[in-house]
Amino acid sequence: MSDYRMYILVNEDIKIGKGKLAGQVGHAVMSYLYYGAIKPLQQGKQIESLDDYMKEQKKIILKCPQWRLEELEREGGYSVIRDKGYTQLEPNTLTCINFGIRTPETLPQWVRELKLYN
């Protein structure tokens, strides 16, 4: 069994309360599971890492500069979360990106260098 982890990159350049951040990370998890797993399964595609991931459900939350998140958003293929702006943030603020379920050794070096969000 491989050591699969879900990596969520949080925008370090915005001020956000802990509860709001928890909600945004929750959106990133649900968005990834829906668009990256449930919809593909409905189309008959198997997601190999999902079964292994669900055994331990490790989530790694990392601080990431906004410019890098915007770069990933332009690349496409990630679950990008932008806030609606109802409470603490301006509408359309980029809060986080779910980088996906991966093993640590498959991460790009720049992701390995990011600091944990705490």
Side-chain angles (χ1 to χ4, degrees), residues 25-68:
V25 169
H27 292 322
V29 170
M30 290 302 300
S31 180
Y32 176 84
L33 289 176
Y34 182 72
Y35 293 109
I38 294 170
K39 297 233 4 133
L41 286 173
Q42 290 173 341
Q43 298 166 352
K45 298 176 185 169
Q46 180 62 34
I47 292 42
E48 175 186 324
S49 62
L50 190 57
D51 286 334
D52 284 339
Y53 170 75
M54 290 304 293
K55 292 174 185 166
E56 295 199 37
Q57 298 187 40
K58 295 177 183 175
K59 290 172 196 66
I60 310 299
I61 314 300
L62 301 169
K63 295 187 286 187
C64 187
Q66 183 165 324
W67 68 267
R68 178 69 83 170

Side-chain angles (χ1 to χ4, degrees), residues 8-9 11 16 33 37 39 43 51 60-61 67 69 78 94 112:
I8 300 168
L9 311 181
N11 188 342
I16 187 169
L33 289 176
K39 297 233 4 133
Q43 298 166 352
D51 286 334
I60 310 299
I61 314 300
W67 68 267
L69 296 174
Y78 300 100
L94 177 56
R112 293 180 199 182

Side-chain angles (χ1 to χ4, degrees), residues 55-118:
K55 292 174 185 166
E56 295 199 37
Q57 298 187 40
K58 295 177 183 175
K59 290 172 196 66
I60 310 299
I61 314 300
L62 301 169
K63 295 187 286 187
C64 187
Q66 183 165 324
W67 68 267
R68 178 69 83 170
L69 296 174
E70 290 170 345
E71 196 173 76
L72 292 172
E73 182 178 33
R74 283 189 297 276
E75 269 181 37
Y78 300 100
S79 295
V80 176
I81 306 302
R82 288 187 169 273
D83 193 63
K84 299 285 187 198
Y86 298 139
T87 56
Q88 298 178 18
L89 302 172
E90 293 296 317
N92 208 34
T93 299
L94 177 56
T95 58
C96 57
I97 287 182
N98 191 318
F99 200 67
I101 296 173
R102 301 166 185 248
T103 58
E105 58 273 2
T106 64
L107 287 174
Q109 185 61 38
W110 68 266
V111 175
R112 293 180 199 182
E113 294 170 359
L114 296 175
K115 305 289 184 211
L116 287 173
Y117 195 98
N118 50 17

